[in-house]
């Protein structure tokens, strides 16, 4: 396909990303209707329960949709959920052709939408910019197949891999551009996860501080329920989005006090005194959350890597050196040989002001 087709699909992908953090458990989808070489309408899925991308575009196009081509990053749905099947709306609107980036991995769809459209005489092409389309919906793809969220490990460190000085001071290792990007990530993620050590050391709010942004769920791993009742996570913006995960023997009075501030407490069986990631991620997945970003600290990062739950890493490196006495960015991985190391694939490097972001995938 020529560059015009790719341009329309990239437009659909840009539209899809506008819904990031707001559509779960649904995918991110953007739609572009084109007729006679001109874009006549666009749409994207804004929130779960609201119009799908193609429906929004069809409503904007009206009768002009007849004879048009739809560019969409994901196969149109063909099942009744919170909204009717999009395939029927496309057929009734007279759309002549559908160019979809990828087949929907959802077993309720998985090619059914394509078949329905083709049986109705609509030309369907699949696979335009498929790799880019899969990247945009990487969290949805994992969730719909495994019923657990996509896990991102985000860390900020000095060039020699330290996240704080020996006294625990970590403000600010990275510069403003990198920190702004982290707030954009929080806006797009369903949940942020930290260990109790980070709460005790930094007393973070874990809010999104960009205009128009929304705060994700904030999950604290706290096996012995050590979180101070004065913690900002319990008293700041929307404390009802704070979930404290603790063990079965946590004191009931403190649980009640935490819940009295509006937060939620989950009790999970412990494994060697720690919250097991497997059970926790399944519980998060049952809530319909597609993505979780682990933000700290070193112990939590090390355990997540040891338990092999991390899908993607985002490591920010500042051009600073803190030395051997600084605090390590990742806890013990129990690796004795280089051949046992955790390998990262599809590595990318981007610059944010003076800082570097190194990203890549583990699976």
């Amino acid at each position: 396909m020529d560059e015009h087709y790719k341009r329309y699909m990239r437009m659909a992908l840009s539209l899809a990303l506008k819904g990031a953090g707001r559509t779960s458990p649904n995918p991110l989808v953007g739609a572009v209707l084109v007729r006679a070489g001109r874009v006549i309408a666009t749409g994207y899925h804004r929130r779960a329960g609201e119009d799908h991308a193609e429906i929004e575009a069809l409503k904007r196009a009206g009768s002009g949709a007849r004879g048009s081509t739809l560019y969409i990053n994901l196969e149109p749905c063909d099942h009744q959920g919170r909204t009717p099947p999009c395939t029927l709306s496309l057929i009734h609107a007279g759309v002549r052709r559908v160019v979809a980036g990828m087949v929907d991995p959802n077993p309720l769809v998985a090619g059914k939408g394509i078949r329905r459209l083709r049986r109705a005489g609509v030309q369907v092409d699949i696979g335009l910019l498929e790799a880019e389309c899969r990247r945009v919906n990487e969290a949805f793809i994992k969730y719909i197949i495994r019923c657990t969220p996509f896990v991102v490990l985000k860390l900020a460190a000095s060039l020699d891999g330290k996240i704080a000085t020996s006294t625990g001071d970590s403000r600010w290792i990275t510069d403003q551009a990198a920190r702004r990007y982290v707030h954009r990530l929080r806006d797009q993620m369903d949940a942020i996860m930290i260990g109790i050590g980070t709460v005790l050391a930094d007393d973070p709010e874990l809010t999104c501080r960009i205009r128009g942004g929304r705060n994700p769920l904030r999950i604290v791993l706290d096996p012995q329920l050590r979180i101070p009742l004065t913690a900002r996570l319990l008293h700041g913006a929307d404390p009802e989005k704070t979930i404290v995960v603790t063990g079965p023997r946590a004191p009931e009075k403190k649980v009640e006090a935490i819940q009295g501030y509006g937060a939620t407490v989950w009790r999970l069986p412990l494994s060697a005194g720690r919250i097991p990631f497997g059970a926790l991620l399944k519980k998060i997945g049952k809530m319909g959350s597609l993505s979780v970003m682990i933000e700290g600290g070193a112990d939590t990062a090390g355990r997540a890597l040891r338990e092999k739950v991390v899908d993607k890493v985002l490591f920010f490196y500042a051009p600073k050196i803190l030395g051997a006495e600084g605090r390590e960015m990742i806890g013990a991985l129990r690796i004795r040989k280089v051949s046992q190391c955790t390998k990262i694939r599809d590595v990318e490097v981007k610059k944010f002001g003076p800082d570097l972001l190194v990203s890549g995938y583990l699976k």
Side-chain angles (χ1 to χ4, degrees), residues 17 135 177-178 181 184-185 188 312-319 346-361:
L17 286 170
R135 181 67 60 89
Y181 182 67
R184 290 204 298 272
L185 289 173
Q188 296 172 357
K312 184 178 184 178
V313 295
L314 297 174
F315 290 171
F316 290 90
Y317 289 99
D346 298 336
V347 174
E348 295 183 358
V349 179
K350 294 181 181 178
K351 208 164 186 297
F352 287 88
D355 305 318
L356 294 176
L357 169 60
V358 179
S359 63
Y361 294 84

Side-chain angles (χ1 to χ4, degrees), residues 29 31 52-59 70 72 75-77 86 90:
V29 185
H52 287 187
E54 51 270 60
I55 302 303
E56 185 173 273
L58 288 174
K59 286 181 176 179
L70 171 71
I72 188 166
E75 171 189 0
C77 72
C86 292
L90 292 168

Side-chain angles (χ1 to χ4, degrees), residues 113-124:
I114 297 169
R115 290 192 292 272
R116 165 94 70 172
L117 291 168
R118 285 174 173 165
R119 284 198 300 267
V122 179
Q123 180 183 341
V124 181

